[in-house]
Amino acid sequence: MPVVRSSYRAPLLLRNRHFNTIFGSFMPVSDRLPWTRERIATPDDDFLDLDWSVSGKERLLLISHGLEGSTKSKPVLSLAAAAVRHGWDVLAWNYRGCSGEPNRALRFYHSGETEDLGLVLKHALARYRSIALTGFSLGANLTLKLAGEQGEDLLPAVQGIAVVAAPCDLAACATQLARPSNRVYMRYFLRNLEKKLRQKQTRFPAEISLAGFEEIQTFHEYDERYTAPLHGFDGALDYYSKCSSGQFLDGIRVPTLILNAKDDPFLHFESNPHELAERHPHLWLELPAHGGHASFGRASRSEPRWYSQRVMSFLETVGE
């Protein structure tokens, strides 16, 4: 499909990528939905916590959050509220260790862990015949990778996919975030990841050491020391190579929208799948000039988030 011309126009102040990104983290979510939590078991004796907002609708939107997020993250809540307004039920799931309670296994979650997402999807398919998938950032990578891995097996139950701020090349994303201008984001992520490692160290003191953690400055260093060995990869580069969603996009058979801002500070612009989108019959790529990372702020904070409206518009269209 052709690369989509975007309707998003950022207010003048929000044409700075960092202002837009940070603004998004403070944008309120006015709609408060009722949520019901369900815990499901994983094959390795761990658990996943799922949050449902349902009212008996026939369609379900399954939402995957970003790195160190949860079902309480503002992008998740905003999109969930938009989905309910459009007549959908919603399922948002927490990755291992992200629901407010440490998970039991040594492993955490990571950018390519599609087995857990597949388990959640299978669980949802027992209740719904029509499902759409969406995700933010890390959750976008997970969603695209799963769609490429499963291809036609997702049909006909999964009617559409729309993801926001998708890092199609994890190595390029790690390099981008290592830039000095992104230091504030790296400090935020590393601080949160260290907290989870300290919790897990109490259960697995022989397997996890935090000695010298303060010397870690980049995702490459963190993934080399923790993500890769804890999840069976031969170093950070092996992890990036095997888990980047870009290599799986050709296998997608469900109508899919990738919504990435050109000025996203987390993503390298050239890692967007421009050439593939031009020839792929099921892939739409939309690249607004501005938007920051999963923000797309508006002049009025009371307005619905633009990406929520765009995602739901796309899913409604392909569903028809």
Side-chain angles (χ1 to χ4, degrees), residues 18-287:
H18 300 296
F19 284 167
N20 208 328
T21 299
I22 295 170
F23 180 83
S25 66
F26 290 100
M27 290 171 65
V29 178
S30 56
D31 295 336
R32 298 295 178 183
L33 302 178
W35 293 97
T36 301
R37 175 154 294 186
E38 177 187 19
R39 176 165 292 184
I40 63 173
T42 64
D44 58 346
D45 194 33
D46 211 338
F47 65 89
L48 297 171
D49 284 334
L50 319 183
D51 287 333
W52 297 83
S53 182
V54 302
S55 58
K57 301 298 190 295
E58 296 182 353
R59 303 177 297 177
L60 178 75
L61 181 65
L62 197 166
I63 308 176
S64 299
H65 62 76
L67 176 67
E68 283 306 283
S70 72
T71 57
K72 296 181 180 179
S73 298
K74 288 184 179 179
V76 173
L77 296 177
S78 174
L79 184 52
V84 169
R85 288 195 299 269
H86 281 78
W88 296 61
D89 283 351
V90 177
L91 166 59
W93 69 292
N94 296 279
Y95 310 151
R96 301 188 190 213
C98 291
S99 65
E101 179 180 337
N103 65 306
R104 291 192 287 262
L106 174 62
R107 49 158 299 178
F108 287 101
Y109 66 93
H110 62 78
S111 295
E113 182 44 79
T114 51
E115 289 186 10
D116 283 352
L117 176 54
L119 181 66
V120 174
L121 177 59
K122 182 179 180 181
H123 184 69
L125 286 171
R127 307 185 192 184
Y128 294 86
R129 294 184 178 181
S130 179
I131 295 179
L133 307 180
T134 186
F136 296 91
S137 198
L138 183 149
N141 189 79
L142 280 179
T143 302
L144 293 174
K145 182 172 179 281
L146 177 76
E149 289 171 338
Q150 296 204 9
E152 293 184 357
D153 290 343
L154 291 181
L155 299 170
V158 176
Q159 67 177 53
I161 297 170
V163 297
V164 181
C168 297
D169 184 334
L170 295 176
C173 182
T175 299
Q176 187 77 1
L177 278 162
R179 297 176 63 181
S181 60
N182 289 326
R183 189 174 293 126
V184 64
Y185 308 120
M186 279 304 315
R187 287 176 178 170
Y188 170 80
F189 287 129
L190 289 173
R191 183 168 61 248
N192 286 330
L193 290 166
E194 182 183 10
K195 290 178 183 177
K196 286 188 175 176
L197 282 170
R198 289 196 181 281
Q199 290 178 329
K200 194 164 287 290
Q201 186 187 39
T202 61
R203 184 172 180 136
F204 300 98
E207 291 86 352
I208 295 178
S209 171
L210 285 167
F213 187 93
E214 67 278 0
E215 298 175 6
I216 295 177
Q217 301 293 321
T218 67
F219 271 126
H220 185 277
E221 294 168 345
Y222 176 86
D223 292 330
E224 184 76 21
R225 181 170 176 182
Y226 295 107
T227 307
L230 287 176
H231 300 97
F233 298 102
D234 186 20
L237 293 181
D238 182 51
Y239 162 53
Y240 300 150
S241 174
K242 291 178 178 176
C243 294
S244 294
S245 60
Q247 65 191 304
F248 297 93
L249 298 179
D250 211 28
I252 290 177
R253 296 295 178 267
V254 175
T256 298
L257 171 68
I258 299 176
L259 181 59
N260 286 357
K262 290 181 179 179
D263 69 348
D264 190 321
F266 293 17
L267 308 181
H268 192 284
F269 177 71
E270 296 302 324
S271 67
N272 288 305
H274 304 85
E275 294 183 6
L276 178 62
E278 292 284 358
R279 61 176 173 80
H280 199 304
H282 307 293
L283 186 63
W284 283 257
L285 177 63
E286 185 168 344
L287 300 169

